[in-house]
Amino acid sequence: MKKIAILLALVCGGLYGWGEYQTLMSEQNSLSVEKASPPKEVFPQSMKNIAILSKVQKQIDEEKAAQKVAEEAKRLEEEKLAKQKALEEKKKAEAEALEKQKQLEKQKAELERFCVKAGQFTSKQLPAVNQGLKAANLLEKVQVKPIFGQDRFVVFIIPTTTLKGAQALAKQVKAKGYTKAQVITSGPLTNATRLNVFDNEATAMSYMEKAKQNLKMKSIRMTRLMGEPTGNVVLVFENVTKKEKGQLQKIVQKHKKQLQECPIE
């Protein structure tokens, strides 16, 4: 019984304490509600910051337009850079091609060979010229060609058997107006009577025909005599390089001569 009395006492105490706790909590909540400020009107105030739909669309369009302009500017810049790069590559290629062409021309010039001649030189000039050629290592490439006098065309009466006969014939011819007639005393025409000498073949032929008619002689002939050596020479250089050609030019200029291209045969 004693135990039951104690248990009932504890239950009653617990119930009393719980009721007091609830009363206290209610008072505190009421006090908190009284102290709190009245709530603001959130939704109407926020509406002030909401833009009109047309303005939003305009802003979107402006942003799209700005983006399009930026993209177009970027595209143009890229095209400009691409064109500039292509131009630079083209210039580089052209410069390389030009340099290659120069190299080929240089190689061709180094391989190119010339035939040149200089003259006329007298026998007194040759020692000094040869000395210059020797110093330039070109003496072995020189060809010395003598200069002959101009060819002549001789109108003559065929040789007689004796010198006296030729002299008598020359005297008779002179008496008929051919005052330049004289006897040839040497060479293949020895004892022939020369009537005249010409530098032109056509003139000699005309003279011969008239002499035949005037002298009534069929034994009149014409022949060509090669020119005799003059003592002067021409120097010919074959298969010389461009550099050697320049050296030759300097050598011959000292003697007031000029190089000339060899005639095409």
Side-chain angles (χ1 to χ4, degrees), residues 8-26:
L8 290 173
L10 289 172
V11 171
C12 290
L15 291 173
Y16 178 77
W18 174 252
E20 290 294 327
Y21 175 75
Q22 285 184 333
T23 302
L24 180 62
M25 291 300 295
S26 296

Side-chain angles (χ1 to χ4, degrees), residues 116-182:
V116 292
K117 66 177 184 177
Q120 305 176 13
F121 293 98
T122 65
S123 57
K124 292 182 179 180
Q125 291 175 317
L126 281 179
V129 175
N130 289 338
Q131 186 176 0
L133 295 175
K134 184 178 180 180
N137 295 321
L138 293 171
L139 191 58
E140 295 181 356
K141 291 193 174 184
V142 64
Q143 298 178 30
V144 181
K145 294 189 176 183
I147 301 300
F148 293 90
Q150 187 176 358
D151 291 350
R152 295 175 298 165
F153 300 88
V154 180
V155 178
F156 64 97
I157 302 172
I158 60 176
T160 60
T161 55
T162 63
L163 177 60
K164 287 185 178 180
Q167 289 174 341
L169 181 59
K171 186 177 181 179
Q172 293 175 9
V173 171
K174 282 183 178 180
K176 292 184 179 182
Y178 292 86
T179 58
K180 293 184 178 180
Q182 63 180 31

